[in-house]
Amino acid sequence: MTTFESVLQEARLFAPSSAFMEQSHIQGLEHYKRLYETAKADPDTFWGELAIRELHWFQPWDRVLDWQPPFAKWFVNGKLNVSYNCLDRHLFNSRANKPALIWEGEPGDTRTYTYAELHHDVCRMANVLKDLGVKKGDRVGIYMPMIPEAAIAMLACARIGAPHTVVFGGFSAEALAGRLLDAEAKLVVTADGSWRKDVINPLKIQVDEALADGKVPSVQQVLVVRRTGQPIAMDPERDRWWHEMQPTASPQCPAEPMDSEDPLFILYTSGTTGKPKGVVHTTGGYNLYTHITTKWVFDLQEDDIFWCTADVGWITGHSYIVYGPLSNGTTTVMFEGAPRKSNPGCFWDVVERHGVTIFYTAPTAIRMFMKLGEDLPATRNLSSLRLLGSVGEPINPAAWMWYHRVIGGGRCPIVDTWWQTETGGIMITPLPGAIATKPGSATFPFPGILADVVDMQGNPVPENQGGYLVVTHPWPGMIRNVHGNPERFHRTYWDPIPPKDGHYTYFSGDGARRDEDGYFWIMGRVDDVINVAGHRLGTMEVESALVSHPAVAEAAVVGKPSDIKGEEIVAFVTLEDAYAPSEDLMKALKNHVAKEIGAIARPAEIRFSEALPKTRSGKIIRRFLRAMAAGEAITGDTSTLEDRGVLDQLRGER
Ligand code: 6R9
């Protein structure tokens, strides 16, 4: 794992080759610096010029930015449509027959859509949604496998101006219901099932469960895509098959002119308190920001085959499988499968089969491949690769070096990209033709992004000292609000660090430091969010799931370092009097959490104890639990503890 010590020792520097630099959009450090300084001096002109050059607008805007902290409006009164920018405009610029989407299913079936074909199907789905009563402004839930129809549904929503809320297919019926309810979704697009590591995940059954007993009264219709083919129940009033409606739907559907600030989607993400937050992204700013970051960070060329291995249920899938690549007219790859016992080398097969040139994945996957050995990639032809990316969690230098050598053949630059659901797109990252990389560092902010490392008062901390990672000026891809809860938006992101000289500061929740060369090193979450295999989980969410079990009196959840997943969940649990600790109960509680939230939240360990360490005011002291979970000694002040005996007991000494 990346520790403070290990990264401090990291002195290796990988400069872009001159061949790579010469063909790239941003060539060399001087070019980057020039761009960065220009953007910093006059952000409105910088973003305004890019928006004109890179996007199609039905109507120009009056003002680039209207900033009423913490509420931003970008490209005020501009009209555009993201689906138009991702599809229609490419039909006129000779990309009509270019592959837009190459898809491979887990069982090995494949489909390729040209831009013209994708446009057709998106228009059809848009017309079907309209037929089913969806209107501009209505929210649509998308709970789908990694199949083309997931992207088609997103683009169809964007086309008619119905904000989507994609819920990761691995989430439980419970979690799905909560999100649909909060978003007041009118319709849900789903599938009969999805393939996940050789078994069927019955999505439609989960939808039925989520909607049962009028739990989500806003949902009126369910559109079902056939994927796995097993028999499922269809409610004649509520449920419709996509394959029955598709053939008669018109492949023409004009793209609705949307206001630049109309919401494009809501995506739920875990926070430190309460239920997940609905992060709202809007049309113009998000379109521009994902477009330009895809183009410059991945240095897109016309014949690139771009593969981001994320699921469309996460922000990475939204921004770098669907919107960013398609807005650029790139060929994007979508893969339903996951590396599994029956096919551990499937990622490298996909690279070889489709000639992937840019590959974007998470450190947790890289560490898993390291463990599986070099034979798997060595027996595939990976020579098409020219650029590698990493996202989701800090990448430790050892994994970085392995990725560089074994997957990149020593020739591919690596872009370690730091960003969040809230930022919409990549914020701190190398530009591969411009910036020399250091293994484990996300390097520098993207042009136009004013990032800093500060203390709790908002003062920059000295070099090589840890602090809070913040952004001090708005950017087009930024979160606009927490759906239905502006107060929470304020409290979570803008209150923690006080405004400086009238400048509002965006609090990321991450710790970072900057080294003597100005490189950013992300040190991970400073709040109660646990990052399991690149997925954010709030301790509160898991704790709530645990205490909803009749045996549990109280629960505290912490992250524990893990070689592969970055962190895993350890839960400390006290039981109700009628229950006694047992292996069976442990198993039952793990399953209970998986059922309540989804398999990604299943605790790796449950530790029973008679009490939890608390302050006199009754707050659980997680610091102690974290140390205990990691098998470390408890250091520092224990005087705040109400009952010191609790620590001995947790350590098993009493
Ligand atoms: C895009 C995405 C965001 C959190 C973020 C941070 C961690 C993401 C990282 C990284 C170190 C990187 N994170 N990228 N940490 N280096 N390159 O992952 O969004 O799911 O919202 O998670 O992930 O902790 O705050 P999201």
Side-chain angles (χ1 to χ4, degrees):
M1 283 309 302
T2 312
T3 63
F4 204 64
E5 289 68 34
S6 69
V7 292
L8 276 177
Q9 288 160 8
E10 187 53 66
R12 288 167 290 206
L13 197 66
F14 294 82
S17 70
S18 50
F20 196 98
M21 195 190 306
E22 275 157 26
Q23 51 80 56
S24 63
H25 292 284
I26 314 298
Q27 304 181 344
L29 189 61
E30 288 313 311
H31 189 175
Y32 163 76
K33 280 188 178 158
R34 226 170 32 240
L35 210 54
Y36 191 83
E37 290 307 322
T38 314
K40 186 175 171 183
D42 184 358
D44 283 14
T45 304
F46 174 76
W47 294 118
E49 283 178 3
L50 280 176
I52 295 172
R53 197 175 80 204
E54 302 290 335
L55 299 184
H56 179 272
W57 296 82
F58 298 136
Q59 182 188 300
W61 60 88
D62 305 332
R63 242 174 109 182
V64 172
L65 172 64
D66 174 2
W67 180 220
Q68 317 266 350
F71 298 99
K73 290 187 180 136
W74 282 88
F75 310 114
V76 180
N77 291 328
K79 302 273 184 283
L80 77 167
N81 184 290
V82 180
S83 144
Y84 187 96
N85 276 313
C86 287
L87 300 168
D88 305 53
R89 63 169 167 162
H90 304 309
L91 307 181
F92 319 124
N93 64 9
S94 74
R95 290 185 181 128
N97 297 317
K98 175 178 176 170
L101 179 68
I102 297 176
W103 171 79
E104 191 170 318
E106 192 179 272
D109 42 345
T110 69
R111 272 190 261 163
T112 297
Y113 290 74
T114 63
Y115 271 94
E117 289 164 343
L118 192 61
H119 176 261
H120 257 210
D121 258 13
V122 167
C123 287
R124 284 204 180 100
M125 177 94 69
N127 283 323
V128 165
L129 293 178
K130 282 197 210 167
D131 283 353
L132 294 176
V134 177
K135 294 190 193 59
K136 183 172 172 173
D138 288 341
R139 264 88 59 200
V140 172
I142 299 179
Y143 185 62
M144 287 283 269
M146 282 287 287
I147 57 176
E149 287 81 358
I152 289 168
M154 291 163 75
L155 291 160
C157 287
R159 197 161 187 90
I160 62 174
H164 54 69
T165 183
V166 184
V167 179
F168 172 56
F171 275 130
S172 66
E174 234 9 75
L176 171 64
R179 286 157 172 79
L180 294 174
L181 192 65
D182 188 80
E184 294 171 277
K186 187 164 183 188
L187 178 146
V188 179
V189 184
T190 190
D192 48 356
S194 69
W195 285 109
R196 191 75 196 157
K197 301 197 175 177
D198 302 319
V199 291
I200 289 174
N201 172 18
L203 292 175
K204 174 61 165 57
I205 291 179
Q206 311 269 20
V207 172
D208 292 343
E209 205 180 311
L211 301 183
D213 311 321
K215 274 202 294 268
V216 191
S218 58
V219 174
Q220 291 163 13
Q221 309 254 240
V222 177
L223 182 63
V224 188
V225 177
R226 185 142 76 192
R227 168 65 186 135
T228 41
Q230 82 279 18
I232 56 166
M234 294 287 279
D235 177 332
E237 300 285 303
R238 191 194 65 189
D239 304 342
R240 307 295 297 270
W241 282 111
W242 162 240
H243 66 259
E244 286 175 3
M245 300 195 74
Q246 180 194 24
T248 52
S250 160
Q252 250 127 52
C253 174
E256 186 72 27
M258 301 300 290
D259 187 272
S260 179
E261 280 301 330
D262 279 336
L264 177 65
F265 64 85
I266 303 169
L267 185 60
Y268 286 84
T269 188
S270 296
T272 49
T273 54
K275 47 185 189 150
K277 303 180 284 263
V279 172
V280 177
H281 282 290
T282 58
T283 303
Y286 177 84
N287 195 167
L288 178 66
Y289 198 65
T290 51
H291 177 99
I292 198 63
T293 48
T294 315
K295 183 167 176 171
W296 287 353
V297 174
F298 299 105
D299 190 45
L300 292 182
Q301 309 291 330
E302 191 58 42
D303 50 3
D304 271 321
I305 310 285
F306 182 91
W307 182 24
C308 164
T309 69
D311 191 285
V312 289
W314 311 113
I315 191 69
T316 308
H318 282 58
S319 299
Y320 300 107
I321 295 176
V322 182
Y323 292 117
L326 295 177
S327 180
N328 280 281
T330 301
T331 301
T332 187
V333 175
M334 190 176 187
F335 181 49
E336 184 188 33
R340 56 201 185 279
K341 279 214 181 70
S342 65
N343 194 355
C346 60
F347 270 25
W348 317 125
D349 291 335
V350 170
V351 170
E352 176 174 316
R353 207 159 22 241
H354 304 293
V356 171
T357 59
I358 304 168
F359 178 70
Y360 189 32
T361 197
T364 189
I366 299 165
R367 289 191 294 262
M368 182 192 65
F369 287 122
M370 274 173 86
K371 209 166 177 181
L372 291 173
E374 293 181 24
D375 278 2
L376 287 175
T379 49
R380 272 76 172 186
N381 181 357
L382 304 183
S383 63
S384 57
L385 291 173
R386 64 179 197 88
L387 179 62
L388 304 175
S390 172
V391 61
E393 43 178 328
I395 179 165
N396 47 310
W400 196 104
M401 290 303 296
W402 189 89
Y403 197 27
H404 187 256
R405 179 174 60 83
V406 179
I407 305 305
R411 72 182 180 279
C412 304
I414 295 181
V415 288
D416 173 5
T417 62
W418 176 85
W419 60 293
Q420 312 177 291
T421 305
E422 294 86 344
T423 69
I426 294 166
M427 300 289 279
I428 301 183
T429 177
L431 297 179
I435 292 168
T437 51
K438 299 184 184 187
S441 167
T443 75
F444 296 111
F446 192 80
I449 300 304
L450 303 185
D452 210 341
V453 181
V454 301
D455 62 19
M456 252 327 185
Q457 280 68 50
N459 302 308
V461 300
E463 86 188 18
N464 277 322
Q465 193 169 307
Y468 301 105
L469 181 57
V470 298
V471 187
T472 56
H473 187 79
W475 67 101
M478 69 195 280
I479 174 176
R480 295 301 194 275
N481 210 338
V482 170
H483 179 69
N485 202 341
E487 192 275 320
R488 195 170 174 199
F489 173 62
H490 226 290
R491 181 161 36 91
T492 311
Y493 303 107
W494 308 94
D495 287 351
I497 311 280
K500 260 202 92 62
D501 314 324
H503 292 295
Y504 265 63
T505 298
Y506 170 82
F507 176 71
S508 69
D510 280 313
R513 69 178 174 91
R514 239 177 323 176
D515 70 13
E516 54 287 356
D517 302 319
Y519 280 62
F520 282 78
W521 297 80
I522 316 297
M523 295 158 72
R525 303 292 308 193
V526 293
D527 53 15
D528 289 330
V529 171
I530 306 180
N531 191 329
V532 181
H535 302 314
R536 278 163 68 169
L537 288 163
T539 49
M540 264 284 288
E541 263 174 280
V542 184
E543 287 161 6
S544 311
L546 281 165
V547 296
S548 73
H549 190 281
V552 177
E554 206 174 19
V557 159
V558 295
K560 161 186 163 177
S562 143
D563 285 349
I564 305 274
K565 294 182 172 178
E567 279 187 293
E568 32 184 47
I569 294 176
V570 178
F572 292 85
V573 167
T574 63
L575 294 175
E576 294 287 356
D577 287 346
Y579 293 83
S582 73
E583 284 287 327
D584 283 348
L585 184 57
M586 210 178 267
K587 220 187 263 165
L589 293 182
K590 288 182 185 178
N591 288 339
H592 179 71
V593 176
K595 184 171 178 303
E596 288 291 304
I597 304 176
I600 49 168
R602 182 191 300 270
E605 260 180 64
I606 304 243
R607 297 199 192 174
F608 295 114
S609 80
E610 275 168 33
L612 297 172
K614 286 187 189 165
T615 61
R616 278 160 233 271
S617 61
K619 280 199 176 136
I620 293 172
I621 312 176
R622 281 169 209 282
R623 185 162 60 87
F624 295 154
L625 295 176
R626 268 194 289 267
M628 206 118 41
E632 291 163 3
I634 290 171
T635 53
D637 188 10
T638 56
S639 62
T640 47
L641 202 59
E642 195 200 21
D643 170 9
R644 295 197 204 186
V646 168
L647 287 187
D648 300 335
Q649 198 238 323
L650 282 168
R651 274 192 294 242
E653 290 169 8
R654 206 177 74 183

